[in-house]
Amino acid sequence: MKKNISLKELISNRHYKINEMTVKTFHFNPLQVNTYVLHDETKQAIIIDPGNFESWEDEQLKEYIEQQQLSVQFVVNTHPHVDHICGNKWCAEQLHCPIYIHEKALKIYNQAAGYGYVMGMDVENSPKPSKLLQDGDVLSFGQQHLQVLYTPGHADGSICLYDAANHMVFVGDVLFYGTVGRTDFPTGSLPLLVNSINEKLWALPDETTVFCGHAINTTIGHEKLYNSFI
């Protein structure tokens, strides 16, 4: 049975369980990216948008994984902006897990060091991805399944990850509480972003929990009613 979670609970919790999925949120790097660790009772886990940048952030992530006795199956980047991928190299080297990203994100992904320099973040380029994702792909770990939704507009290669069974979607920087992602970066487009939200996210049930790439979480129903950008 689905647990009903109020909006107040959604924006205040950093570690909670929805049905069979446990979601742990870390706020990493100077841009405060939401890095998500998902796992279930099998102890298989994935990491969405590893933003760990400082050594103490690496340790925080490592400590949680070890305490929970997790086996990280793969890393997924919702889009190729440097603040969402700067922990890829650490994850690949320390956790020995593959990196997944959408095929259209590679142009920006491969220039992470240059974009990091512009943003004041000294980072190395990320490892070569092990899997290039496409719209409609299903990613599985433990007893969980996430569907890839291609949602360009914030950047080429932006995706959302939808978990129908647990009524949740991880949206990167596509949608936020009361607003949407920036479109003034290279490959950004406001009309394309609005179209992605209308076609892909508004088609989800209103009770779907929206896990954003920064700041607080929300729900599809709340954003349909109150998001003035759409």
Side-chain angles (χ1 to χ4, degrees):
M1 181 178 295
K2 179 181 182 295
K3 177 184 177 182
N4 293 319
I5 299 178
S6 70
L7 187 60
K8 182 178 180 181
E9 288 179 296
L10 287 175
I11 66 178
S12 63
N13 283 322
R14 293 181 60 191
H15 184 281
Y16 51 89
K17 185 174 181 179
I18 299 179
N19 292 347
E20 300 305 319
M21 179 90 82
T22 297
V23 180
K24 170 67 176 179
T25 308
F26 294 92
H27 306 299
F28 284 154
N29 74 52
L31 297 180
Q32 290 291 281
V33 162
N34 289 338
T35 292
Y36 296 107
V37 180
L38 281 55
H39 64 92
D40 63 14
E41 61 185 9
T42 69
K43 296 299 184 178
Q44 288 192 1
I46 67 168
I47 300 174
I48 299 176
D49 291 347
N52 43 308
F53 175 64
E54 303 285 358
S55 59
W56 65 266
E57 294 173 331
D58 298 339
E59 288 302 313
Q60 216 177 40
L61 184 56
K62 180 181 179 182
E63 181 181 13
Y64 178 76
I65 291 168
E66 290 179 347
Q67 284 180 346
Q68 299 296 318
Q69 299 180 318
L70 303 180
S71 172
V72 179
Q73 303 299 295
F74 53 86
V75 164
V76 189
N77 298 141
T78 61
H79 63 290
H81 287 160
V82 64
D83 51 326
H84 290 256
I85 69 173
C86 56
N88 280 0
K89 187 173 186 293
W90 182 89
C91 289
E93 293 179 351
Q94 300 299 317
L95 305 178
H96 310 291
C97 54
I99 309 295
Y100 296 175
I101 195 167
H102 192 273
E103 58 183 355
K104 292 188 177 180
L106 284 180
K107 184 176 181 180
I108 295 176
Y109 181 90
N110 290 331
Q111 302 178 51
Y115 283 106
Y117 177 79
V118 172
M119 301 178 72
M121 297 175 65
D122 184 13
V123 300
E124 299 181 48
N125 282 331
S126 289
K128 182 179 179 180
S130 301
K131 183 179 179 66
L132 297 179
L133 303 174
Q134 298 182 20
D135 187 56
D137 284 351
V138 176
L139 306 179
S140 300
F141 64 100
Q143 300 174 359
Q144 311 305 316
H145 308 283
L146 301 174
Q147 181 182 1
V148 174
L149 308 177
Y150 182 47
T151 50
H154 176 64
D156 279 355
S158 287
I159 61 171
C160 298
L161 301 167
Y162 177 49
D163 180 350
N166 293 308
H167 304 276
M168 61 178 74
V169 63
F170 298 84
V171 299
D173 288 359
V174 171
L175 181 67
F176 294 107
Y177 179 77
T179 187
V180 297
R182 293 175 60 170
T183 57
D184 55 340
F185 293 130
T187 74
S189 166
L190 182 58
L192 189 56
L193 180 64
V194 171
N195 184 69
S196 292
I197 294 171
N198 279 323
E199 287 195 354
K200 298 293 181 67
L201 296 184
W202 278 190
L204 304 181
D206 286 354
E207 66 268 22
T208 304
T209 303
V210 178
F211 291 86
C212 305
H214 300 266
I216 62 177
N217 302 328
T218 183
T219 66
I220 291 295
H222 181 87
E223 297 311 309
K224 280 183 180 179
L225 286 175
Y226 301 111
N227 195 312
S228 62
F229 286 84
I230 308 299

